[in-house]
Amino acid sequence: MAYNKYQAPDTKDVKMRKLRKGAFYTLLPVFIITTIRGTVRTYREKKWVKKGLAIVEEERKKYLEEKKKGKGKNNDDDDDDDDDE
């Protein structure tokens, strides 16, 4: 009765199926986690780039407004004194 649960050794084909199945179930969670992580990183990076572009655009508008205001004024720093004599 000691040999009631005896099973014959697996064939080469069955061993390969078990190995492939084990590899698939081992690598599937890693693949899923990596994909989700990459998607989240991409989303965050896009959001940061949009914020950065908005900031740059705002600074550009401020610069152009200051430039327009400055055009009417005479920004001559030279007081026509020749001090190099």
Side-chain angles (χ1 to χ4, degrees), residues 35-48:
T35 304
I36 292 172
R37 190 171 131 208
T39 305
V40 170
R41 280 187 176 179
T42 304
Y43 171 75
R44 285 183 183 166
E45 191 170 325
K46 283 181 183 179
K47 192 168 71 172
W48 292 337

Side-chain angles (χ1 to χ4, degrees), residues 43-57:
Y43 171 75
R44 285 183 183 166
E45 191 170 325
K46 283 181 183 179
K47 192 168 71 172
W48 292 337
V49 167
K50 285 181 182 178
K51 283 183 181 179
L53 289 175
I55 291 170
V56 168
E57 185 65 28

Side-chain angles (χ1 to χ4, degrees), residues 7-19:
Q7 294 179 348
D10 292 335
T11 62
K12 195 174 189 178
D13 188 40
V14 173
K15 285 181 183 178
M16 284 303 292
R17 274 194 238 142
K18 283 184 180 179
L19 183 65

Side-chain angles (χ1 to χ4, degrees), residues 1 3-4 7 11-12 17 20 28 31 39-40 42 52 54-55 71 73 75 79:
M1 294 278 177
Y3 297 104
N4 283 345
Q7 294 179 348
T11 62
K12 195 174 189 178
R17 274 194 238 142
R20 287 181 185 157
L28 183 66
F31 176 73
T39 305
V40 170
T42 304
I55 291 170
K71 261 190 176 179
K73 299 177 184 176
N75 291 334
D79 57 359

